[in-house]
Amino acid sequence: MKVKNIAVKSKSRTEFIDITSEIQKLIDNEGIKNGICFLFVPHTTAGITINEGADPSVQKDIQTLLTRLAPQDLNYLHREGNADAHIKSTIVGVDKFVFIEDGRLVLGTWQAIYFCEFDGPRHRRVVVKILSDD
Ligand code: ZN
């Protein structure tokens, strides 16, 4: 399969967006049964993480800690005003992989895949590559 793009539209400066069902939909549409799904965020002020999908306060706690590590108003050299977002992107990372078994993403019960916006609102994308071993 060629790489596919999942469009993501963030609504605020910092926001975690659950993209699990979008990725599952792509796997369903492609008819992939077993393989590995690579996810890549081609942005310098966003990231991707896999974490708690049930309690939204976990996402808020992660955002709070990241903001404590990289406050928006430090005396950064990067003068675009979004140095904190670049730093958060590097801390969180821009790539993940998830196995696919019997047509389903192999995730823990409480896990969800989140696109992490750090300099929104913006139109973003997640690049997806699936390697099938069927
Ligand atoms: Zn910048």
Side-chain angles (χ1 to χ4, degrees), residues 44-45 78-83 85-86 119 122:
T44 60
T45 54
H78 181 60
R79 290 294 175 193
E80 206 187 4
N82 62 357
H86 289 291
D119 194 27
R122 287 176 192 250

Side-chain angles (χ1 to χ4, degrees), residues 38-120:
F38 292 97
L39 305 162
F40 180 75
V41 171
H43 304 289
T44 60
T45 54
I48 189 166
T49 193
I50 297 176
N51 212 303
E52 168 86 39
D55 180 0
S57 62
V58 173
Q59 302 159 42
K60 290 288 169 205
D61 286 340
I62 294 168
Q63 290 166 20
T64 300
L65 180 78
L66 288 171
T67 300
R68 201 168 284 188
L69 290 171
Q72 196 177 351
D73 57 357
L74 272 189
N75 193 23
Y76 296 109
L77 297 174
H78 181 60
R79 290 294 175 193
E80 206 187 4
N82 62 357
D84 64 313
H86 289 291
I87 292 164
K88 289 169 183 171
S89 171
T90 282
I91 292 171
V92 168
V94 293
D95 56 355
K96 285 279 177 260
F97 72 86
V98 184
F99 299 117
I100 303 163
E101 208 164 69
D102 299 325
R104 306 288 306 169
L105 287 165
V106 179
L107 291 168
T109 307
W110 308 110
Q111 285 182 318
I113 305 165
Y114 288 98
F115 175 86
C116 306
E117 178 62 80
F118 298 119
D119 194 27

Side-chain angles (χ1 to χ4, degrees), residues 31-36 99-104 130-134:
I32 310 280
K33 294 295 168 216
N34 298 287
I36 185 165
F99 299 117
I100 303 163
E101 208 164 69
D102 299 325
R104 306 288 306 169
I130 298 172
L131 298 184
S132 169
D133 47 41
D134 297 330

